[in-house]
Amino acid sequence: MPIIKVTMTKEDGGLSVGQKEALAKKLTDSFVEVVGRGEKTCVVTIDEISTDNYAIGGKTVSKIRQEK
């Protein structure tokens, strides 16, 4: 069973339910088109993480954005 995992920072309240559904639908449709397997076999997970829990170059994204 294919699993498509999306990990992104949660900002401005994160994605709405509608945005998550639209993203999952488009990713599933693309998978079916490219790979040729049925949509009922495709699982999409969306993980939204706080910018305090995501670091680049040893600094959290929150800190990087504060410095700009």
Side-chain angles (χ1 to χ4, degrees):
M1 177 182 306
I3 300 171
I4 300 171
K5 183 175 180 178
V6 177
T7 304
M8 57 186 287
T9 56
K10 182 175 184 175
E11 301 181 55
D12 302 323
L15 297 178
S16 69
V17 172
Q19 288 173 312
K20 290 176 185 180
E21 289 173 349
L23 180 58
K25 176 74 172 130
K26 287 189 180 265
L27 289 170
T28 299
D29 290 347
S30 292
F31 176 83
V32 170
E33 179 183 330
V34 172
V35 179
R37 290 181 58 186
E39 66 184 22
K40 292 186 179 187
T41 68
C42 186
V43 174
V44 176
T45 65
I46 301 170
D47 296 318
E48 293 180 287
I49 57 174
S50 165
T51 55
D52 291 335
N53 296 330
Y54 181 62
I56 301 170
K59 292 183 182 180
T60 65
V61 171
S62 297
K63 178 81 171 177
I64 292 168
R65 293 199 176 133
Q66 287 174 353
E67 294 175 347
K68 288 185 177 185

Coordinates of all heavy atoms in Angstrom, one line a residue:
M1 N 0.8 -1.2 0.0 CA 0.0 0.0 0.0 C 0.9 1.2 0.0 O 1.7 1.4 0.9 CB -0.9 0.0 1.2 CG -1.8 1.2 1.4 SD -2.8 1.3 2.8 CE -3.7 -0.2 2.7
P2 N 0.7 2.1 -1.0 CA 1.5 3.3 -1.0 C 1.1 4.3 0.0 O -0.1 4.5 0.3 CB 1.3 3.9 -2.4 CG 0.0 3.3 -2.8 CD -0.1 2.0 -2.1
I3 N 2.1 5.0 0.6 CA 1.8 6.0 1.6 C 2.5 7.3 1.2 O 3.7 7.3 1.0 CB 2.2 5.6 3.0 CG1 1.5 4.4 3.5 CG2 2.0 6.8 4.0 CD1 2.0 3.8 4.8
I4 N 1.8 8.4 1.0 CA 2.4 9.6 0.6 C 2.3 10.5 1.9 O 1.2 10.7 2.4 CB 1.6 10.3 -0.5 CG1 1.6 9.5 -1.8 CG2 2.2 11.7 -0.8 CD1 0.7 10.0 -2.9
K5 N 3.5 10.9 2.4 CA 3.6 11.6 3.6 C 4.0 13.1 3.3 O 5.0 13.3 2.7 CB 4.6 11.0 4.6 CG 4.6 11.6 5.9 CD 5.5 10.9 6.9 CE 5.6 11.6 8.2 NZ 6.4 10.9 9.2
V6 N 3.2 14.0 3.8 CA 3.5 15.4 3.7 C 3.8 15.9 5.1 O 3.0 15.8 6.0 CB 2.3 16.2 3.1 CG1 2.6 17.7 3.0 CG2 1.9 15.6 1.7
T7 N 5.0 16.5 5.2 CA 5.4 17.2 6.5 C 5.6 18.6 6.2 O 6.4 19.0 5.3 CB 6.6 16.5 7.1 OG1 6.4 15.1 7.2 CG2 7.0 17.1 8.4
M8 N 5.0 19.5 6.9 CA 5.1 20.9 6.7 C 5.0 21.7 8.0 O 4.5 21.1 8.9 CB 4.1 21.4 5.6 CG 2.7 21.2 6.0 SD 1.5 21.6 4.7 CE 1.5 23.4 4.8
T9 N 5.5 22.9 8.0 CA 5.3 23.7 9.2 C 3.9 24.2 9.3 O 3.2 24.5 8.3 CB 6.3 24.9 9.2 OG1 6.1 25.7 8.0 CG2 7.7 24.5 9.3
K10 N 3.4 24.3 10.5 CA 2.1 24.8 10.8 C 2.2 26.2 11.1 O 2.8 26.6 12.1 CB 1.5 24.0 12.0 CG 0.1 24.4 12.3 CD -0.5 23.6 13.4 CE -2.0 24.0 13.6 NZ -2.6 23.1 14.6
E11 N 1.6 27.0 10.2 CA 1.7 28.5 10.4 C 0.4 29.1 10.2 O -0.5 28.6 9.4 CB 2.7 29.1 9.4 CG 4.1 28.4 9.6 CD 5.2 29.0 8.7 OE1 5.3 30.2 8.7 OE2 5.8 28.2 8.0
D12 N 0.1 30.2 10.8 CA -1.1 30.9 10.7 C -2.3 30.0 10.9 O -3.3 30.1 10.1 CB -1.2 31.6 9.3 CG 0.0 32.6 9.0 OD1 0.4 33.3 10.0 OD2 0.5 32.7 7.9
G13 N -2.3 29.2 11.9 CA -3.4 28.3 12.2 C -3.4 27.0 11.4 O -4.2 26.1 11.6
G14 N -2.4 26.8 10.5 CA -2.3 25.6 9.7 C -3.3 25.5 8.6 O -4.1 26.4 8.3
L15 N -3.3 24.4 7.9 CA -4.2 24.1 6.8 C -5.7 23.9 7.3 O -5.9 23.3 8.4 CB -3.8 22.9 6.0 CG -2.5 22.9 5.3 CD1 -2.2 21.6 4.6 CD2 -2.4 24.1 4.3
S16 N -6.6 24.4 6.6 CA -8.0 24.1 6.9 C -8.3 22.7 6.5 O -7.6 22.0 5.7 CB -8.9 25.1 6.2 OG -8.9 24.8 4.8
V17 N -9.4 22.2 7.0 CA -9.9 20.8 6.6 C -10.1 20.8 5.1 O -9.6 19.8 4.4 CB -11.2 20.4 7.3 CG1 -11.8 19.1 6.8 CG2 -10.9 20.3 8.8
G18 N -10.6 21.8 4.5 CA -10.8 21.8 3.1 C -9.5 21.8 2.3 O -9.4 21.1 1.3
Q19 N -8.5 22.5 2.8 CA -7.2 22.5 2.1 C -6.6 21.1 2.2 O -6.0 20.6 1.3 CB -6.3 23.5 2.8 CG -6.6 25.0 2.4 CD -5.8 26.0 3.2 OE1 -5.6 25.8 4.4 NE2 -5.3 26.9 2.5
K20 N -6.7 20.5 3.4 CA -6.1 19.1 3.5 C -6.8 18.1 2.6 O -6.2 17.3 2.0 CB -6.3 18.7 5.0 CG -5.4 19.4 5.9 CD -5.6 19.0 7.4 CE -4.8 19.8 8.3 NZ -5.0 19.4 9.7
E21 N -8.1 18.2 2.5 CA -8.9 17.3 1.6 C -8.5 17.6 0.1 O -8.3 16.6 -0.6 CB -10.4 17.5 1.8 CG -10.9 17.0 3.1 CD -12.3 17.3 3.3 OE1 -12.9 18.2 2.6 OE2 -12.9 16.7 4.3
A22 N -8.3 18.8 -0.3 CA -7.9 19.2 -1.6 C -6.5 18.7 -1.9 O -6.3 18.1 -3.0 CB -8.0 20.7 -1.9
L23 N -5.6 18.8 -1.0 CA -4.2 18.4 -1.2 C -4.2 16.9 -1.3 O -3.6 16.3 -2.2 CB -3.4 18.8 0.0 CG -1.9 18.4 0.0 CD1 -1.2 18.9 -1.2 CD2 -1.2 18.9 1.3
A24 N -4.9 16.2 -0.4 CA -5.0 14.7 -0.5 C -5.5 14.2 -1.8 O -5.0 13.3 -2.4 CB -5.8 14.2 0.7
K25 N -6.6 14.9 -2.3 CA -7.2 14.5 -3.5 C -6.2 14.7 -4.7 O -6.1 13.8 -5.6 CB -8.5 15.3 -3.8 CG -9.2 15.1 -5.1 CD -9.9 13.8 -5.1 CE -10.7 13.6 -6.4 NZ -10.5 12.4 -7.1
K26 N -5.6 15.8 -4.8 CA -4.6 16.1 -5.9 C -3.4 15.1 -5.8 O -3.0 14.6 -6.9 CB -4.2 17.5 -5.9 CG -5.3 18.4 -6.4 CD -4.8 19.8 -6.6 CE -5.9 20.7 -7.0 NZ -6.0 20.9 -8.5
L27 N -2.9 14.9 -4.6 CA -1.8 13.9 -4.5 C -2.2 12.5 -5.0 O -1.5 11.8 -5.7 CB -1.2 13.9 -3.1 CG -0.5 15.2 -2.7 CD1 -0.2 15.1 -1.2 CD2 0.8 15.3 -3.5
T28 N -3.4 12.1 -4.5 CA -3.9 10.8 -4.9 C -4.1 10.7 -6.4 O -3.7 9.7 -7.0 CB -5.2 10.5 -4.2 OG1 -4.9 10.5 -2.7 CG2 -5.8 9.2 -4.6
D29 N -4.7 11.7 -7.0 CA -5.0 11.7 -8.4 C -3.7 11.7 -9.2 O -3.6 10.9 -10.2 CB -5.8 13.0 -8.8 CG -7.2 13.0 -8.4 OD1 -7.7 11.9 -7.9 OD2 -7.8 14.0 -8.4
S30 N -2.7 12.4 -8.8 CA -1.3 12.4 -9.4 C -0.7 11.0 -9.3 O -0.1 10.5 -10.3 CB -0.4 13.4 -8.8 OG -0.9 14.7 -9.1
F31 N -0.8 10.4 -8.1 CA -0.3 9.1 -7.9 C -0.9 8.1 -8.9 O -0.2 7.3 -9.6 CB -0.5 8.6 -6.5 CG 0.0 7.2 -6.2 CD1 1.3 6.9 -6.0 CD2 -0.9 6.1 -6.3 CE1 1.8 5.7 -5.8 CE2 -0.4 4.8 -6.1 CZ 0.9 4.6 -5.8
V32 N -2.2 8.1 -9.0 CA -3.0 7.2 -9.8 C -2.6 7.4 -11.3 O -2.3 6.4 -12.0 CB -4.5 7.4 -9.7 CG1 -5.3 6.6 -10.7 CG2 -4.9 6.9 -8.3
E33 N -2.4 8.7 -11.7 CA -2.1 9.0 -13.1 C -0.7 8.5 -13.4 O -0.4 7.9 -14.5 CB -2.1 10.5 -13.3 CG -1.8 10.9 -14.7 CD -1.8 12.4 -14.9 OE1 -2.5 13.1 -14.2 OE2 -1.0 12.9 -15.7
V34 N 0.3 8.7 -12.5 CA 1.7 8.4 -12.8 C 2.0 6.9 -12.6 O 2.6 6.2 -13.4 CB 2.6 9.2 -11.9 CG1 4.1 8.8 -12.1 CG2 2.5 10.7 -12.3
V35 N 1.5 6.3 -11.5 CA 1.8 4.9 -11.2 C 0.8 3.9 -11.7 O 1.2 2.8 -12.0 CB 1.9 4.8 -9.6 CG1 2.3 3.4 -9.2 CG2 3.0 5.8 -9.1
G36 N -0.4 4.4 -11.9 CA -1.4 3.5 -12.5 C -2.0 2.5 -11.6 O -2.6 1.5 -12.0
R37 N -2.0 2.8 -10.3 CA -2.7 2.0 -9.3 C -3.9 2.7 -8.8 O -4.0 3.9 -8.9 CB -1.7 1.7 -8.1 CG -0.6 0.8 -8.6 CD 0.4 0.4 -7.5 NE -0.2 -0.2 -6.3 CZ 0.4 -0.5 -5.2 NH1 1.7 -0.2 -5.2 NH2 -0.2 -1.1 -4.2
G38 N -4.8 1.9 -8.3 CA -6.1 2.5 -7.9 C -6.0 3.4 -6.7 O -5.2 3.3 -5.8
E39 N -6.9 4.4 -6.7 CA -6.9 5.4 -5.6 C -7.2 4.8 -4.3 O -6.8 5.4 -3.3 CB -7.9 6.5 -6.0 CG -9.4 6.1 -6.0 CD -10.3 7.2 -6.4 OE1 -9.9 8.2 -7.1 OE2 -11.5 7.1 -6.1
K40 N -7.9 3.7 -4.2 CA -8.3 3.1 -2.9 C -7.1 2.5 -2.2 O -7.2 2.1 -1.1 CB -9.4 2.1 -3.1 CG -10.7 2.8 -3.5 CD -11.8 1.8 -3.5 CE -13.1 2.6 -3.9 NZ -14.3 1.8 -3.8
T41 N -6.0 2.3 -2.9 CA -4.7 1.8 -2.3 C -3.8 2.9 -1.8 O -2.8 2.6 -1.1 CB -3.9 0.9 -3.3 OG1 -3.4 1.8 -4.3 CG2 -4.8 -0.2 -3.9
C42 N -4.1 4.2 -2.1 CA -3.2 5.3 -1.8 C -3.6 6.0 -0.5 O -4.7 6.4 -0.3 CB -3.3 6.3 -2.9 SG -2.1 7.6 -2.7
V43 N -2.7 6.0 0.5 CA -2.9 6.7 1.8 C -2.1 8.0 1.8 O -0.9 8.0 1.4 CB -2.4 5.8 2.9 CG1 -2.5 6.5 4.3 CG2 -3.3 4.5 2.9
V44 N -2.7 9.1 2.2 CA -2.0 10.3 2.3 C -2.1 10.8 3.8 O -3.1 10.8 4.4 CB -2.6 11.5 1.5 CG1 -2.0 12.8 1.7 CG2 -2.6 11.1 0.0
T45 N -0.9 11.1 4.4 CA -0.9 11.6 5.7 C -0.3 13.0 5.7 O 0.6 13.3 4.9 CB 0.0 10.8 6.7 OG1 1.4 10.8 6.3 CG2 -0.5 9.3 6.7
I46 N -0.8 13.9 6.5 CA -0.4 15.3 6.5 C 0.0 15.6 8.0 O -0.8 15.5 8.9 CB -1.4 16.3 6.1 CG1 -1.9 15.9 4.6 CG2 -1.0 17.7 6.2 CD1 -3.1 16.7 4.1
D47 N 1.3 15.9 8.2 CA 1.8 16.2 9.5 C 2.2 17.7 9.5 O 3.1 18.1 8.7 CB 3.1 15.4 9.9 CG 2.8 13.9 10.0 OD1 1.7 13.6 10.6 OD2 3.6 13.1 9.5
E48 N 1.6 18.5 10.4 CA 1.9 19.9 10.5 C 2.7 20.0 11.8 O 2.3 19.6 12.9 CB 0.7 20.8 10.5 CG -0.1 20.8 9.2 CD -1.3 21.6 9.3 OE1 -2.3 21.2 9.9 OE2 -1.3 22.7 8.7
I49 N 3.9 20.6 11.7 CA 4.7 20.7 12.9 C 5.0 22.2 13.2 O 5.0 23.1 12.3 CB 6.1 20.0 12.7 CG1 6.9 20.5 11.5 CG2 5.9 18.5 12.6 CD1 8.2 20.0 11.3
S50 N 5.1 22.5 14.4 CA 5.3 23.9 14.9 C 6.7 24.3 14.4 O 7.7 23.5 14.3 CB 5.3 23.9 16.4 OG 5.9 25.1 16.9
T51 N 6.8 25.6 14.1 CA 8.1 26.2 13.6 C 9.1 26.1 14.8 O 10.3 26.3 14.6 CB 8.0 27.6 13.1 OG1 7.3 28.4 14.1 CG2 7.2 27.6 11.8
D52 N 8.7 25.9 16.0 CA 9.6 25.7 17.2 C 10.2 24.3 17.2 O 11.2 24.1 17.8 CB 8.8 25.9 18.5 CG 8.4 27.4 18.7 OD1 9.0 28.3 18.2 OD2 7.4 27.6 19.5
N53 N 9.6 23.4 16.4 CA 10.1 22.0 16.4 C 10.7 21.7 15.0 O 10.9 20.5 14.7 CB 8.9 21.1 16.6 CG 8.3 21.2 17.9 OD1 8.9 21.6 18.9 ND2 7.0 21.0 18.0
Y54 N 11.2 22.7 14.3 CA 11.8 22.5 13.0 C 13.0 23.4 12.9 O 12.8 24.6 13.1 CB 10.7 22.8 11.9 CG 11.2 22.7 10.5 CD1 11.6 21.4 10.0 CD2 11.2 23.7 9.6 CE1 12.0 21.3 8.7 CE2 11.6 23.6 8.3 CZ 12.0 22.4 7.8 OH 12.4 22.2 6.5
A55 N 14.1 22.9 12.7 CA 15.4 23.7 12.7 C 16.1 23.5 11.4 O 16.2 22.5 10.8 CB 16.2 23.3 13.9
I56 N 16.8 24.6 11.0 CA 17.7 24.6 9.9 C 19.0 25.2 10.3 O 19.0 26.3 10.9 CB 17.1 25.5 8.7 CG1 15.7 24.9 8.3 CG2 18.1 25.5 7.5 CD1 15.0 25.8 7.3
G57 N 20.1 24.5 10.1 CA 21.4 25.1 10.5 C 21.5 25.3 12.0 O 22.2 26.2 12.5
G58 N 20.8 24.5 12.8 CA 20.9 24.6 14.3 C 20.0 25.6 14.9 O 20.0 25.8 16.1
K59 N 19.2 26.3 14.1 CA 18.2 27.3 14.6 C 16.8 26.9 14.2 O 16.6 26.5 13.1 CB 18.5 28.7 14.0 CG 19.8 29.3 14.4 CD 19.9 30.7 13.8 CE 21.3 31.4 14.2 NZ 21.4 32.7 13.6
T60 N 15.9 27.1 15.2 CA 14.5 26.8 14.8 C 14.0 27.8 13.8 O 14.5 29.0 13.7 CB 13.6 26.9 16.1 OG1 13.6 28.3 16.5 CG2 14.0 26.0 17.2
V61 N 13.0 27.4 13.0 CA 12.5 28.3 12.0 C 11.9 29.5 12.7 O 12.0 30.6 12.1 CB 11.4 27.5 11.1 CG1 10.7 28.4 10.2 CG2 12.1 26.4 10.3
S62 N 11.3 29.3 13.8 CA 10.7 30.5 14.6 C 11.8 31.5 14.8 O 11.6 32.7 14.6 CB 10.2 30.1 15.9 OG 9.1 29.2 15.7
K63 N 13.0 31.1 15.3 CA 14.1 32.0 15.5 C 14.6 32.7 14.3 O 14.9 33.9 14.2 CB 15.3 31.2 16.2 CG 16.5 32.0 16.5 CD 16.3 32.7 17.8 CE 17.7 33.3 18.2 NZ 17.6 34.1 19.3
I64 N 14.7 31.9 13.2 CA 15.2 32.4 11.9 C 14.3 33.5 11.4 O 14.7 34.6 11.0 CB 15.3 31.3 10.8 CG1 16.4 30.3 11.2 CG2 15.5 31.9 9.4 CD1 16.4 29.0 10.4
R65 N 13.0 33.3 11.6 CA 12.0 34.3 11.1 C 12.0 35.6 12.0 O 11.8 36.6 11.5 CB 10.6 33.7 11.1 CG 10.6 32.6 9.9 CD 9.2 32.3 9.5 NE 9.4 31.4 8.4 CZ 8.7 30.2 8.2 NH1 7.8 29.9 9.2 NH2 8.9 29.5 7.2
Q66 N 12.3 35.4 13.3 CA 12.4 36.5 14.2 C 13.6 37.4 13.8 O 13.6 38.6 14.0 CB 12.6 36.1 15.6 CG 11.3 35.5 16.3 CD 11.6 35.0 17.6 OE1 12.7 34.9 18.1 NE2 10.5 34.6 18.3
E67 N 14.7 36.8 13.3 CA 15.9 37.5 13.0 C 15.8 38.3 11.7 O 16.6 39.2 11.4 CB 17.1 36.5 12.9 CG 17.4 35.9 14.3 CD 18.5 34.8 14.2 OE1 18.8 34.4 13.0 OE2 19.0 34.4 15.2
K68 N 14.8 38.0 10.9 CA 14.6 38.7 9.6 C 14.0 40.1 9.8 O 13.3 40.4 10.6 CB 13.8 37.9 8.6 CG 14.6 36.7 8.1 CD 13.8 36.0 7.1 CE 14.6 34.8 6.5 NZ 14.0 34.2 5.4

